[in-house]
Structures are given as C-alpha cells and as structure tokens.
Amino acid sequence: MSGQVLRPVPDGLMAAFRAYESALMNDDVAMLDRLFAPGPTTLRADAHGLLVGHDQISAFRSGRGGAPQRTLVQTHLQVIDDDHVLIMAVTQLTRGGRGQQTQLWARSADRSAGVAGWQVTAAHVAVPAPALDTRIWRVVGDPLVPATVPDGPLSGETVAVKDLFALAGHAVGAGNPDWLQHAAPEPRHAAAVQALLDAGAEVRGIARTDEFAYSLAGQNAHYGAPPNPRAPGRIPGGSSSGSASAVGLGHASVGLGTDTGGSIRVPAAYQGLFGIRTTHGAVDRTGVMPLAPSFDTVGWLTRTSAELAAVGDVLLPPSETVGSTELVVVPDLLGLATAEVADAVRAWLPDRAAWEVWPLDRHGEWLEAFRTWQAHEAWQEHGAWLGSRLDVLGADVRGRFEAASRVGAADAEAARRTVADARDVIRDLVGTRILVLPSAASVAPTPAEAGAARETTMRLTCLAGLGGLPALSLPLTTRAGLPCGVCLVAGRGRDRDLLDLARELMP
C-alpha cells in the first residue's frame, strides 16, 4: 500500500481487498460474488459499459472466462468513515500496459458478508485497449481496402466486412482457424464489396463471424464473442457478430453481413442498430460463402436509418412491386416475445397499425422444415470438407453440422416441399402490406441463456427466410434500458419501400 492515509484503515478491509485480488486472478466467481454487495444498486463499469445490480455483474463474470492477469503497482486509500473506504489502484498487466481500478468498499452489519463484513458497492476498471480486438476483427486497416473512386455516394463510409465475403488478396476465414489455414487468397472482391468500393466506401477490415454462419449467438469458440456495447455482459448476436459490434462501437459505419435465419436482424436487435435482410436474390451473392443457398441473403447494419438507405441505394435494384404502408400486427407472433420486448413493440406501434389473426397452426411444422432444409443444404455445401474434421468446430456449431450430416434424402425432400408451401402461404399473408413483429424474442441474453433464446427467436426470424422476403429491424429500448428490435417484413422486392418507411418512422 502506498500514498497517504489520513485516517486509520478499518479492521478487515485490506484482508477483503487481498481476497478480491486473489479471486480475480483465479477466476473464483463464487468468491467475487460474495465480495460484491448484493442488491440492485451495486455498480461495475468499464470501457464497454455499466452493469447495474449484483445479478448483472455476476452474469457478466460467469461468462467472460477470467480477467487479464496483472499485479498491483500502487494502492491508495481514502477512508471516508469507519464503514466506507475508497480504494484506487494501479495495475501492471502481464500482456503489457498499465490499468487502473477504483472501488468503493462498505462494511456490512453482517460480519459474515464478503470478507470480514467488507463488500464492494461500486467499481470502475480501466485497462489499455488492445491494438487489435481479435474478437471483432480478423484483419483491419486504415483502410484495409481503399475506395475505387475519390467521390461517390458512400464517400466517407467505412465498412466492416463479414468473414464470408471475398476480398482480393485475402482468404475467407468463415470464423474457423482450420478453414482459414487451408483457404487460398481470393482473386477478386465479392460483388457486393466491389459495389460499395465503387460508390466511394472504404473497407475498414474483415470482421468475425460465427463458424460458417451457423449460429445466431455471436459466440465463436475460437476467437471469443465480440462485445455488445449497448448491453455489456450479454451476447452480441450473430452470425454477423463482428460486423455488428464494429458498427456499434463506432469502428465502422456500415456492417456488411449475411442473413439466413436472422443473422442481421438478431444482432441489430441485441445491439440497438438498424439492419436489413434483403429479398432473397435481390443483392448479388457472388463471392459470398454460402450456408444454405435457399435462404442466404446479403444484408447490412448501420447506426442510422439514413446510412441504411444510402447503402440500399447502391446495392439494391429498383422496387419490383407496388404496395401500401399499412402495418399489420399478428397477436400470436407478438406473443412469442418476452413481456419487456412485446411492451416495447406495442409502445412504438404507430396509430395506423392494424391487428389481425393469422392461421399459424403450421408454424411449428414450418420452423422444423426450415431447419431441416437449411441443415441439408449446409451439409451439401460443407460436408465434404467437414466430414472428417467436425472436431475443429465449436460445440454448438459442431452439433448442428452433426445433425445436418444425418438428414436423409427423404426427410430433406419432405422439408423442401413444406418450405415451398410455407413460402406461398407467407407471401400471400403479407401481400401488399407490411408485417410488424419482434426482431428477436428477447433482449440479448447472457451467454448461459443463449441456447434457450435461439429456439423462440427462430420462430420469428424463419418467416422472412421461408418467404424469401425483405425484413428490416428498427432499434427500440425496453423500460429497463436494454436494446431490442421491431421488424418490418414486406413483399418480395419491396426493400426500398422498407428503407423509405424506416426513414419516415425513425429519421
């Protein structure tokens, strides 16, 4: 301990402080939980955001996998009174650089609480930012690829490109280090990337993706989960996870990604961004690694509706059909969301929105067919390479590919027929109107909750995928202050109509 202490250090405080440091370095989550005061007013903050309440802090610790190793360099105390002490410490990180931590300790009347009755009621942590956050980026530059024109409609925009799109001179990594090791550099840019460059945008870098884009969580087993700046300690959403986090953190203004079963809409909802899944086939997918071609689409994320539309002006063809701006809400679909998300959607709904009951008795059958046909196509695309290498995948994605390998021809054909039937029904139900539903069934879950959240969210996101329809996610906020999303689904080819409506509703 160094620095002046103007009042005597209360008994037991330094023992509690040393116990905290030991627990932190050993990732002893149970002890750290004891040392942070219980209740909803305990605070923890760092560069990624503020956590409020013991439960949020505990969930964050349980999912992060330990703190950077460090040693204490300086420790300064300011004794407020016999029961409250402010500690500020300077730390030396093993990986290099120095950090700081500030903690407000309070003594409880219960001597069994924490250590010797002392617990942290508020903490702030600062550590040096890495030169390259490898959870977000695989490769980054300033720029990585310059624009091909000096002045264009997207001049000044920077793009985070999901690691499924070809960039000339770079291999596609698909979120898996073994795939990357065997992949050759691409001879030319993907068509969508080239179009953005030709419009004046620059490529900031290649952003992480869930392995082979076969996930909605954003939890890559090899590189970690990109941070969610709007909901610290919660998952970012995927599979366009790195692109979304790069936009949310201000590293790029546009996140280029793909959406097969929700991979644009879910991270948009979880991180409070605008995001669009385009009409199936509307944007050229040349140079994009497929997952399930029947459902794969190009999409993008931005922080504003104007930026979202500006990208659409470059990538999208003219509107194919004419429709209305009538909004229709289906109670059964809204009911799939948690109460806090459903309340946020209801509070947002314009007066002109109509409520309508849809025949959704085959909804469960449609979802199962979507999953089966998606799995069949994913195995057709990647099974030859993965067949003897499934162990190179993280557990969740490996489980999906293992199931995909077992889809027989008869089951695949039955699923294909159901998908075709569902497509016709969904297109007829949407018609010339715009369907309103939650973008995801919940706010961003904690890592431990991700699996359960996927199931209900897929019931919502599969509808646009089955219909081959454009779907645009608008950012909302729950009463608790967490981001969520409302999704607008329109008829085929009405992508630009959705972008115009987004600017009207959220300029």
Side-chain angles (χ1 to χ4, degrees):
M1 184 177 65
S2 62
Q4 283 191 326
V5 179
L6 301 180
R7 302 177 61 169
V9 179
D11 293 342
L13 174 66
M14 294 313 297
F17 181 70
R18 287 191 292 270
Y20 171 84
E21 281 296 312
S22 175
L24 189 67
M25 292 300 93
N26 290 290
D27 196 25
D28 186 344
V29 174
M31 175 58 78
L32 291 169
D33 281 351
R34 282 184 55 200
L35 285 165
F36 266 65
T41 61
T42 304
L43 305 174
R44 183 199 181 277
D46 59 20
H48 299 304
L50 175 66
L51 299 172
V52 180
H54 186 277
D55 290 348
Q56 281 194 21
I57 296 168
S58 178
F60 160 75
R61 283 208 194 88
S62 298
R64 71 174 171 178
Q69 292 296 300
R70 69 192 194 185
T71 56
L72 288 170
V73 177
Q74 300 176 36
T75 307
H76 297 264
L77 277 69
Q78 188 178 84
V79 180
I80 301 169
D81 56 37
D82 290 344
D83 297 323
H84 298 88
V85 178
L86 185 72
I87 297 181
M88 299 185 72
V90 177
T91 57
Q92 179 70 44
L93 277 67
T94 302
R95 71 186 187 202
R98 288 195 169 187
Q100 295 181 3
Q101 62 179 22
T102 302
Q103 301 162 337
L104 179 61
W105 289 78
R107 179 156 47 189
S108 170
D110 180 3
R111 296 285 290 178
S112 66
V115 170
W118 287 96
Q119 293 177 309
V120 176
T121 62
H124 183 269
V125 181
V127 297
L132 173 65
D133 191 333
T134 55
R135 299 170 301 171
I136 302 171
W137 299 104
R138 199 192 98 205
V139 183
V140 71
D142 189 26
L144 182 65
V145 184
T148 57
V149 297
D151 187 22
L154 295 182
S155 291
E157 303 290 352
T158 55
V159 186
V161 176
K162 185 176 184 177
D163 197 7
L164 296 181
F165 289 76
L167 280 186
H170 298 269
V172 171
N176 181 272
D178 281 80
W179 177 274
L180 177 61
Q181 181 182 354
H182 291 87
E186 295 292 327
R188 60 187 62 85
H189 300 313
V193 173
Q194 187 66 61
L196 296 177
L197 294 170
D198 291 345
E202 297 179 333
V203 171
R204 175 57 51 83
I206 300 172
R208 295 296 189 193
T209 176
D210 294 24
E211 293 178 275
F212 297 92
Y214 210 172
S215 175
L216 293 179
Q219 297 171 290
N220 190 297
H222 309 285
Y223 308 115
N228 184 336
R230 283 286 307 278
R234 296 172 180 267
I235 64 173
S239 61
S240 304
S241 51
S243 299
S245 292
V247 172
L249 287 164
H251 296 181
S253 57
V254 178
L256 185 63
T258 60
D259 188 309
T260 302
S263 291
I264 288 285
R265 293 162 285 162
V266 172
Y270 287 175
Q271 298 195 41
L273 301 171
F274 292 85
I276 185 169
R277 165 209 161 86
T278 56
T279 295
H280 187 258
V283 178
D284 192 343
R285 300 197 307 275
T286 302
V288 182
M289 177 181 287
L291 173 65
S294 292
F295 306 118
D296 294 344
T297 62
V298 171
W300 54 93
L301 307 108
T302 63
R303 293 186 295 274
T304 70
S305 60
E307 288 173 314
L308 198 76
V311 176
D313 287 342
V314 170
L315 294 182
L316 287 167
S319 293
E320 295 179 7
T321 57
V322 177
S324 73
T325 58
E326 178 187 359
L327 304 178
V328 59
V329 187
V330 178
D332 285 350
L333 294 179
L334 188 59
L336 291 173
T338 60
E340 60 182 339
V341 171
D343 287 346
V345 173
R346 287 191 193 95
W348 170 85
L349 283 171
D351 292 338
R352 68 174 181 267
W355 294 76
E356 182 176 303
V357 176
W358 279 15
L360 295 174
D361 51 299
R362 297 184 65 193
H363 194 178
E365 180 187 357
W366 292 349
L367 174 59
E368 188 57 35
F370 176 93
R371 285 175 165 162
T372 300
W373 186 244
Q374 178 191 38
H376 172 75
E377 290 199 326
W379 192 252
Q380 297 304 305
E381 293 291 340
H382 302 296
W385 189 85
L386 285 173
S388 60
R389 297 184 177 93
L390 285 170
D391 60 337
V392 307
L393 299 172
D396 59 337
V397 177
R398 181 172 67 245
R400 292 183 195 112
F401 272 111
E402 286 174 343
S405 71
R406 297 191 292 270
V407 175
D411 288 339
E413 176 57 23
R416 186 197 64 77
R417 289 196 301 268
T418 300
V419 165
D421 291 342
R423 181 160 296 169
D424 292 340
V425 173
I426 292 168
R427 289 179 180 178
D428 286 344
L429 287 171
V430 173
T432 61
R433 303 171 300 173
I434 294 173
L435 171 65
V436 179
L437 71 164
S439 301
S442 69
V443 299
T446 64
E449 299 165 338
R454 173 186 171 87
E455 175 68 24
T456 310
T457 287
M458 283 285 292
R459 294 179 69 86
L460 293 167
T461 59
C462 75
L463 295 174
L466 286 165
L469 303 179
L472 190 152
S473 183
L474 302 175
L476 302 180
T477 304
T478 68
R479 290 178 181 174
L482 288 171
C484 63
V486 59
C487 188
L488 308 179
V489 179
R492 278 188 57 81
R494 294 193 64 198
D495 308 65
R496 289 178 180 266
D497 293 344
L498 288 181
L499 293 170
D500 290 341
L501 183 59
R503 282 186 290 190
E504 173 191 330
L505 296 173
M506 290 188 173

